[in-house]
Amino acid sequence: MSIEEHVPASLLDEASEALEELAGVLADGQTLNDALQQLVESASRVIPDAENVSVTLVGPQGPHTAAMTDEKVVDIDIDQYKAGQGPCLEAARIQRPVRVTLEGGRVKWPEFARAAEAAGVQAYLSAPIVIEDEVIGALNLYSSDERAFDPFDEALLRLFVTAASTSITGFRRYERSRRLVEHLQRALESRAEIDQAKGVLMAAHGVDAEDAFSRLVTESQQRNTKLRDVARNLLASVRRP
């Protein structure tokens, strides 16, 4: 029997709607944290056994929890980060989903097991988030039922991980575009100031544009100062009473 045959149509419809929402999450100018928060809330609502959900991001400063549905489960992941091991980090390392129960994790991941027990978590499912062949974190599910998370839950989790990847990719592209625009704006501003400074030198010394630019470059090299700063200082001295 296929997954679709034993899952209510209403649940599949709700999952489809949630994924459509995630697909356009950054279209309204939301931040990455907004997108990840919507991701965990949608996954918690749609995946049957997921009582709580979090997102782990792995960066240069180490892993951290970027979004969660309830702060009481954050300690479970924090203890994994401190120990440098656990199902969340394991999923990111092997790039495959990892399911573990409280009892099953006591020997291999004692720090995880202690924190899970304190939070009342009996089952945990984590799947890696991969962007352009780079593992950037994991999506984590928590349940108080040791029998939680069947193949359908895992299939839905993979869909939400795909949605997370789309959101993060979109955010990265937006950030790259924004930085490019800022660089272009600064370049245009610098060019305008350099042209104005050249005009000042041309008028003051009766030289042509090439000679004026050469004088700016020479001063920049002698003072070990950026060309735009030399031009800016010259303009400021001219404007000064």
Side-chain angles (χ1 to χ4, degrees):
M1 180 179 291
S2 68
I3 288 175
E4 290 80 1
E5 290 174 325
H6 72 266
V7 175
S10 60
L11 181 57
L12 291 175
D13 289 342
E14 188 173 6
S16 178
E17 290 174 5
L19 291 171
E20 288 177 3
E21 291 173 4
L22 287 170
V25 71
L26 293 171
D28 296 329
Q30 296 186 49
T31 66
L32 177 59
N33 285 341
D34 291 332
L36 294 178
Q37 189 61 41
Q38 183 171 344
L39 170 71
V40 298
E41 290 172 2
S42 296
S44 178
R45 185 178 78 243
V46 173
I47 298 177
D49 291 332
E51 296 171 11
N52 282 295
V53 182
S54 75
V55 170
T56 294
L57 292 184
V58 180
Q61 280 72 48
H64 69 281
T65 301
M68 79 294 292
T69 53
D70 192 323
E71 291 191 1
K72 73 178 184 180
V73 297
V74 175
D75 287 343
I76 300 175
D77 293 331
I78 290 178
D79 281 6
Q80 294 182 65
Y81 307 154
K82 291 179 179 177
Q85 60 180 355
C88 151
L89 300 179
E90 179 82 355
R93 185 181 67 81
I94 67 175
Q95 298 187 34
R96 290 196 307 273
V98 172
R99 179 191 180 277
V100 63
T101 63
L102 173 61
E103 289 304 316
R106 288 191 188 279
V107 175
K108 187 174 183 180
W109 298 305
E111 296 85 3
F112 157 79
R114 283 195 295 270
E117 185 172 25
V121 170
Q122 294 290 322
Y124 184 97
L125 176 63
S126 184
I129 301 175
V130 182
I131 306 293
E132 298 174 347
D133 297 327
E134 175 191 358
V135 179
I136 58 93
L139 184 60
N140 315 307
L141 310 183
Y142 314 77
S143 176
S144 60
D145 185 351
E146 187 176 13
R147 299 164 299 176
F149 306 131
D150 60 17
F152 177 71
D153 293 325
E154 189 169 322
L156 272 182
L157 180 59
R158 287 198 297 268
L159 287 176
F160 275 92
V161 166
T162 300
S165 300
T166 300
S167 296
I168 295 170
T169 299
F171 180 80
R172 283 183 168 183
R173 289 174 178 170
Y174 166 77
E175 284 292 287
R176 284 197 294 266
S177 298
R178 183 182 61 80
R179 287 195 296 269
L180 177 59
V181 170
E182 290 176 351
H183 291 161
L184 288 173
Q185 288 175 333
R186 286 197 293 269
L188 289 173
E189 291 170 0
S190 298
R191 175 61 185 272
E193 289 173 330
I194 291 170
D195 284 344
Q196 291 175 32
K198 283 164 54 180
V200 169
L201 292 176
M202 290 167 66
H205 300 285
V207 296
D208 60 19
E210 184 177 350
D211 192 9
F213 183 71
S214 178
R215 293 188 182 207
L216 291 173
V217 171
T218 299
E219 183 168 353
S220 170
Q221 294 172 341
Q222 290 176 343
R223 295 178 179 273
N224 194 25
T225 304
K226 292 181 178 179
L227 187 61
R228 70 167 180 266
D229 292 334
V230 171
R232 195 170 295 167
N233 292 337
L234 175 60
L235 294 174
S237 68
V238 171
R239 300 189 185 106
R240 192 177 301 123

